[in-house]
Amino acid sequence: MVSWNTSSQDPLRAYPAAQQPDWPDRSALDAVTRELETLPPLVFADECDLLKDRLAAVARGEAFLLQGGDCAETFDAVRTDTTRDKLSTLLQMAVVLTYAGSVPVVKVGRLAGQYAKPRSKATETRDGRVLPVYRGDAVNGFDFTHASRVPDPTRLLTMYQASVTTLNLVRAFSAGRNANLRQIHNLNRDFVSGSPSGHRYESIADEIDRALRFMHATGSGPEAADAEEFFVSHEGLLLDYETALTRVDSSSGLPYATSGHLLWIGERTRDLSGAHVEYFSRINNPVAVKLGPAATSDSVLRLIDRLDPHREPGRLTLIVRMGAGKVREMLPPLVEKVTASGAQVAWVCDPMHGNTVEAPSGHKTRRFDDVLDEIRGFFDVHHSLGTHPGGIHVEFTGNHVTECVGGGHEVLFEDLASRYESVCDPRLNRSQSLDLAFLVSEFLGPRDRRPARPLSATSGPVR
């Protein structure tokens, strides 16, 4: 792959670019982007094309997408244990969903690039002092000091190196024995036996046990499932970084964003006349768009025309983030109009961003039951319309944090301060993530296995 022709980037400057840092030294930024243009790609065109094929199966109703990871990655968390624990948690979730849905699960991590975040305000005020808002480690530091909060373009190079390290860890873990299907399921067995709500999941775990024993007895073995395909994704927010890592594939002559396999446009940057939509319309990766409750059928159809003009299955994923109280009302018109247009998109539910609340302590948090209810509503809408609920997009960590309330090992409001580690939005911890996978598996499975009440109703109210 060769560097994207610099002249092809110039027209982007004619479009308004939302949520970009106010870099204090443009010459320093230009020096960084020139260096990024010389560095090897993080991912390759054939890998992106493979993911597009897998997402085409999701769009056709033949597969399910599990996308998840940190809200915002940090440079100091690029370690073997944190990467392993996130990947292990996602693989554990995938085993449950694969069996329940009887379809392949496409596994995509929010990692190796999720270092920048859009923000609702440009500044933050504490005790009367006003500083630039924290925009993620790719831009500035979390510490509330002037030196930390000034945008620093050299952080883009650190982001690249952190992404290289994370990808190396992911590839090593996926190729090693730690990704063995039987070993991953044994971890699920440990979770079921130790969870206060584990009795609800025993039947599913037993069925997976029987399936593995059958495969072993017949000599078929789970080797095909052990050969893990794993892809990485992030919000394509920082256009200076993304364009610098755009390369032209020497075989096809087409440009690809090589910072990740799948990039998405956020709710705050999906302006049809903006630079993000323009840039995404030019790259050949599979791409996604976040859609909040303000999204209209007309705007979504226009986004499809811009981003998927050839109606290529697997090209476009629509990630809806409506909120538990709105998804049943707001989603049906979008699905109906898009389906009627003939576009084959993958529909995915982000049950996190529409369900953020403030705890009495002031912490941003999410209720596990709200997260589950939005997914339930998402499935209900698609089942009623005869369309395919294509996947879920969740923010989680493999660590035992206390950032979201509820779950089987119930986190209470008063527990939040004990291990609240996120630098941005609250994440599900490992136990809550596995709870979610088992409960979503009931939506995928037979109707008589689908849960009739929230998980927390089995273990006391969320307080």
Side-chain angles (χ1 to χ4, degrees):
M1 304 180 83
V2 297
S3 295
W4 202 23
N5 187 341
T6 304
S7 64
S8 69
Q9 301 175 38
D10 290 341
L12 287 183
R13 301 185 187 276
Y15 295 84
Q19 295 287 333
Q20 301 306 288
D22 185 13
W23 302 110
D25 185 346
R26 188 72 205 186
S27 62
L29 175 64
D30 290 342
V32 166
T33 56
R34 285 195 298 270
E35 183 171 352
L36 286 170
E37 288 171 357
T38 69
L39 296 175
L42 293 171
V43 301
F44 293 91
D46 58 348
E47 297 173 336
C48 298
D49 291 343
L50 177 60
L51 176 56
K52 190 182 293 184
D53 288 343
R54 300 296 185 254
L55 291 173
V58 174
R60 293 192 299 267
E62 300 166 0
F64 190 81
L65 173 66
L66 174 61
Q67 185 175 4
D70 274 320
C71 161
E73 294 178 281
T74 59
F75 296 155
D76 62 5
V78 181
R79 302 193 306 270
T80 300
D81 57 342
T82 55
T83 303
R84 179 199 62 221
D85 291 346
K86 276 186 285 190
L87 185 56
S88 175
T89 300
L90 192 140
L91 293 178
Q92 286 179 254
M93 296 171 72
V95 167
V96 176
L97 296 174
T98 299
Y99 183 81
S102 298
V103 294
V105 170
V106 182
K107 295 169 284 294
V108 179
R110 278 178 64 111
L111 77 170
Q114 188 59 19
Y115 291 100
K117 292 291 293 182
R119 305 311 300 263
S120 57
K121 297 180 180 179
T123 60
E124 180 182 357
T125 303
R126 296 186 194 177
D127 299 324
R129 190 181 185 194
V130 181
L131 291 177
V133 72
Y134 171 67
R135 291 186 176 275
D137 276 12
V139 177
N140 55 5
F142 184 69
D143 292 340
F144 195 72
T145 65
H146 177 76
S148 177
R149 291 297 178 90
V150 173
D152 178 2
T154 63
R155 284 175 169 269
L156 297 178
L157 295 172
T158 307
M159 175 185 179
Y160 174 88
Q161 294 299 334
S163 298
V164 169
T165 300
T166 301
L167 275 169
N168 286 341
L169 291 170
V170 166
R171 285 166 173 152
F173 186 90
S174 298
R177 64 181 182 85
N178 290 319
N180 177 278
L181 176 62
R182 198 179 307 277
Q183 182 161 328
I184 290 293
H185 177 58
N186 286 340
L187 293 176
N188 276 339
R189 262 297 183 196
D190 292 341
F191 164 74
V192 169
S193 64
S195 170
S197 302
H199 63 281
R200 296 189 64 170
Y201 314 141
E202 279 287 353
S203 62
I204 300 172
D206 289 344
E207 291 170 11
I208 298 174
D209 285 340
R210 285 194 292 272
L212 288 173
R213 288 196 297 270
F214 175 80
M215 294 168 71
H216 179 74
T218 58
S220 56
E223 288 80 7
D226 291 343
E228 288 297 337
E229 285 182 357
F230 191 86
F231 304 94
V232 297
S233 66
H234 63 270
E235 180 174 357
L237 184 64
L238 301 179
L239 292 176
D240 292 301
Y241 180 81
E242 301 302 343
T243 55
L245 284 176
T246 303
R247 304 285 187 267
V248 175
D249 177 44
S250 56
S251 298
S252 65
L254 297 172
Y256 285 79
T258 67
S259 61
H261 300 110
L262 170 68
L263 273 60
W264 73 83
I265 302 173
E267 171 74 358
R268 294 185 177 97
T269 51
R270 58 177 174 81
D271 179 5
L272 283 157
S273 62
H276 289 86
V277 171
E278 178 63 22
Y279 169 71
F280 274 64
S281 72
R282 300 179 182 205
I283 58 175
N284 204 50
N285 305 56
V287 299
V289 182
K290 292 282 191 83
L291 302 175
T296 64
S297 299
D298 179 65
S299 65
V300 173
L301 291 175
R302 291 171 66 193
L303 280 167
I304 293 172
D305 287 340
R306 289 290 306 282
L307 299 174
D308 185 24
H310 304 297
R311 301 300 193 264
E312 179 185 6
R315 160 65 176 174
L316 182 59
T317 296
L318 299 179
I319 306 172
V320 295
R321 37 160 294 180
M322 303 292 182
K326 296 180 179 179
V327 65
R328 293 170 177 83
E329 174 189 358
M330 306 301 297
L331 182 58
L334 302 185
V335 176
E336 288 175 322
K337 289 295 181 66
V338 171
T339 302
S341 76
Q344 288 196 51
V345 303
W347 289 99
V348 173
C349 176
D350 169 359
M352 309 297 292
H353 286 89
N355 294 306
T356 304
V357 297
E358 184 174 328
S361 61
H363 290 90
K364 291 170 66 176
T365 190
R366 289 154 176 161
R367 293 182 176 91
F368 181 92
D369 288 347
D370 291 342
V371 171
L372 179 62
D373 190 46
E374 179 159 1
I375 298 175
R376 180 190 286 110
F378 174 79
F379 272 78
D380 288 345
V381 167
H382 283 283
H383 288 153
S384 67
L385 296 176
T387 50
H388 179 53
I392 57 174
H393 178 127
V394 293
E395 291 183 343
F396 73 85
T397 175
N399 301 331
H400 297 291
V401 300
T402 54
E403 297 171 3
C404 295
V405 294
H409 288 93
E410 190 172 12
V411 176
L412 309 178
F413 281 126
E414 52 263 37
D415 298 326
L416 292 176
S418 62
R419 287 201 64 179
Y420 197 103
E421 300 175 3
S422 175
V423 295
C424 196
D425 290 337
R427 305 160 296 174
L428 299 174
N429 60 31
R430 176 182 177 273
S431 176
Q432 291 168 329
S433 301
L434 297 177
D435 277 329
L436 191 70
F438 275 98
L439 292 168
V440 172
S441 77
E442 295 175 327
F443 304 153
L444 286 167
R447 288 188 177 272
D448 59 7
R449 272 206 335 231
R450 294 178 189 170
R453 57 179 179 169
L455 177 62
S456 62
T458 68
S459 56
V462 174
R463 295 186 291 275

